[in-house]
Amino acid sequence: MALRSVRTPVLEIYYYEYGPETGWPVVLSHGFPYDPHAYNEVAPHLAQEGARVLVPYLRGFGPTRYLSSSTMRSGQQAALGSDLIALLDALGIQKAILAGFDWGGLASCVATALWPERVVGLVSYAGYDIYNREGQKQAFDPKLESVMWYQHLFQSERGRLCLAANRRELCRLLWKQWSPTWSWDDGLFDRTASSFDNPDFVDVVIHCYRHCLDMEEGDQSLEDLEKILAGKPKICVPAITLDGTQDPLKPGGSAAHGGMFAARHERRVFDVGHAFPMEAPDAFAAAVLDVYHWHLQAGNDGY
């Protein structure tokens, strides 16, 4: 494992790389409030199977930095998906398997939907995550709204101040609420929480949740992509979606998402919570390997 960095048009992205440089590329993307440590067990497993595994710090996390102080600190879906393609471009990788959970699942879905020619296959924890801002204006079941308290909090300046002043305490609380049956150690959380000290963390997180709830506008340079995403484009590459029955954020998981996948698709359900790659690393790695094997079985030789 090596920590490396590469410059894209917007960011200097730091990422961990596992496995041979000549291996079949996989990008594993984390979410909020997590970081690349979420894949500490998944990435080595894939590398042993011949994969070149890239695990980036998303914008606003860890050492990843914006190149310009004038760039909008956007956390919107088009920005997250574009970053993955920019990472591939910067590394000269034409195609890769994309896999992720939470923001990382959203980013992987977005990149796959907008640039399917760059994606061999997709693994997404909790299914088709692309959002339509108009649709987000509709109320959910009160039980789910209560679990989404942090999103409601972040709509106010009080919420911004709360996250800025109490980022570790708030994120630790989310870990506990979202993964009620997972016993994690303080060392793992502390290593992850250092990523929240990124100077852009608060701005990116706040914008993400204000944009998706249609309470704040996005980066104008990404508006054309957002218009495409608002139409909920289908996923046209082979995909495996993963669900956790203990995740209070995803009641029902991806059970109703089948129609959004136009190519081979398989749904797998496990008795875990939201932090899927940490709670069930073998299952996550197996899904990535199966997508790769589907690619080979279809008569493709590598990428």
Side-chain angles (χ1 to χ4, degrees):
M1 175 184 71
L3 179 62
R4 298 175 176 165
S5 71
V6 67
R7 287 199 168 196
T8 70
V10 174
L11 302 167
E12 181 164 11
I13 297 176
Y14 279 77
Y15 63 97
Y16 289 103
E17 183 164 345
Y18 299 75
E21 190 171 338
T22 56
W24 44 281
V26 179
V27 181
L28 304 177
S29 297
H30 68 83
F32 165 82
Y34 307 95
D35 84 344
H37 290 98
Y39 294 103
N40 281 354
E41 294 184 56
V42 175
H45 186 159
L46 297 176
Q48 290 174 3
E49 297 294 331
R52 178 187 182 186
V53 187
L54 311 172
V55 193
Y57 286 90
L58 300 190
R59 55 171 58 201
F61 290 80
T64 289
R65 293 292 187 272
Y66 286 85
L67 301 181
S68 172
S69 60
S70 64
T71 301
M72 182 178 181
R73 272 42 178 174
S74 168
Q76 68 196 90
Q77 59 184 351
L80 299 175
S82 296
D83 289 346
L84 296 187
I85 300 301
L87 174 65
L88 297 182
D89 287 343
L91 294 174
I93 296 173
Q94 183 57 37
K95 292 185 177 183
I97 290 174
L98 302 184
F101 75 112
D102 196 87
W103 285 21
L106 170 62
S108 298
C109 284
V110 166
T112 301
L114 293 176
W115 296 279
E117 71 280 3
R118 304 296 300 276
V119 182
V120 171
L122 171 71
V123 174
S124 176
Y125 175 76
Y128 184 94
D129 244 2
I130 297 171
Y131 59 80
N132 178 303
R133 297 174 76 201
E134 282 297 317
Q136 292 290 93
K137 294 179 181 180
Q138 303 301 313
F140 295 113
D141 181 272
K143 185 177 181 180
L144 179 56
E145 293 285 7
S146 71
V147 176
M148 294 168 58
W149 62 267
Y150 66 102
Q151 296 191 25
H152 301 306
L153 176 64
F154 292 164
Q155 304 310 308
S156 69
E157 286 308 295
R158 178 173 172 171
R160 179 190 293 275
L161 292 172
C162 181
L163 179 63
N166 306 285
R167 61 192 75 187
R168 279 173 168 73
E169 294 87 344
L170 190 152
C171 293
R172 179 186 287 271
L173 179 59
L174 294 180
W175 275 38
K176 289 181 178 179
Q177 291 182 345
W178 296 352
S179 297
T181 60
W182 178 41
S183 297
W184 39 273
D185 65 76
D186 288 338
L188 175 61
F189 179 80
D190 291 341
R191 288 192 295 275
T192 300
S194 65
S195 290
F196 311 154
D197 294 329
N198 183 300
D200 300 306
F201 175 77
V202 172
D203 286 343
V204 171
V205 170
I206 294 297
H207 183 262
C208 171
Y209 292 108
R210 290 185 182 179
H211 182 269
C212 73
L213 295 183
D214 200 31
M215 297 298 289
E216 195 166 296
E217 291 305 312
D219 186 335
Q220 284 302 304
S221 69
L222 300 171
E223 188 58 28
D224 288 344
L225 296 180
E226 288 291 350
K227 289 179 180 177
I228 297 172
L229 295 172
K232 306 293 284 285
K234 292 187 178 183
I235 300 296
C236 297
V237 305
I240 292 176
T241 54
L242 302 170
D243 288 324
T245 57
Q246 298 301 317
D247 184 355
L249 278 177
K250 301 288 184 180
S254 61
H257 297 185
M260 303 309 298
F261 295 89
R264 183 174 180 178
H265 169 237
E266 185 175 309
R267 175 181 179 243
R268 299 178 181 179
V269 182
F270 297 86
D271 188 30
V272 297
H274 193 71
F276 194 103
M278 290 188 276
E279 298 182 61
D282 290 344
F284 199 96
V288 174
L289 289 170
D290 285 346
V291 166
Y292 177 61
H293 292 147
W294 289 358
H295 176 71
L296 297 180
Q297 291 165 7
N300 301 296
D301 184 13
Y303 289 12

